[in-house]
Amino acid sequence: MKAYAFSDDTRAFIENVPIPIAVYQYVDEQIRPLLVSRAYLGLFGYSSSEEAVYGLGRDLYRNVHPDDIARMEKCAYDFAMHKHDYDVVFRNR
């Protein structure tokens, strides 16, 4: 499966939403980051969308508290497999 391609309008809308958002897709049995908002960049200290997407692709849970990572991974996998909604509370470092 190929990564989703956003239209220019949709991409611009998501990038400019004033809340931190990261958009992911489950591709080839991996969770892949596709797009982040500028508010996400500011919250986590990234200087560009490309840097954020690359960083998330290398370590998806880098800002998640270590005690919460296993639960996050399970919830994300179950969501990707359509087993339940993605409804999880976790701590950021």
Side-chain angles (χ1 to χ4, degrees):
M1 176 187 295
K2 290 186 175 185
Y4 182 80
F6 294 93
S7 70
D8 291 341
D9 289 342
T10 301
R11 176 175 288 279
F13 175 79
I14 293 171
E15 288 177 339
N16 290 296
V17 168
I19 57 174
I21 294 176
V23 178
Y24 302 89
Q25 182 181 5
Y26 194 67
V27 178
D28 298 330
E29 298 186 20
Q30 292 185 324
I31 299 170
R32 298 201 181 170
L34 301 178
L35 185 61
V36 297
S37 66
R38 288 193 179 110
Y40 185 95
L41 300 178
L43 179 65
F44 292 107
Y46 290 107
S47 58
S48 70
S49 293
E50 295 78 19
E51 178 189 10
V53 168
Y54 176 79
L56 289 168
R58 294 186 42 82
D59 187 0
L60 183 63
Y61 302 107
R62 81 176 197 149
N63 292 314
V64 175
H65 189 283
D67 293 345
D68 296 343
I69 291 174
R71 188 169 42 82
M72 290 283 299
E73 289 174 328
K74 180 176 180 350
C75 187
Y77 179 80
D78 288 348
F79 176 73
M81 296 291 102
H82 307 287
K83 293 181 179 179
H84 64 72
D85 292 340
Y86 190 76
D87 184 12
V88 62
V89 175
F90 62 96
R91 297 167 286 177
N92 276 315
R93 295 186 285 149

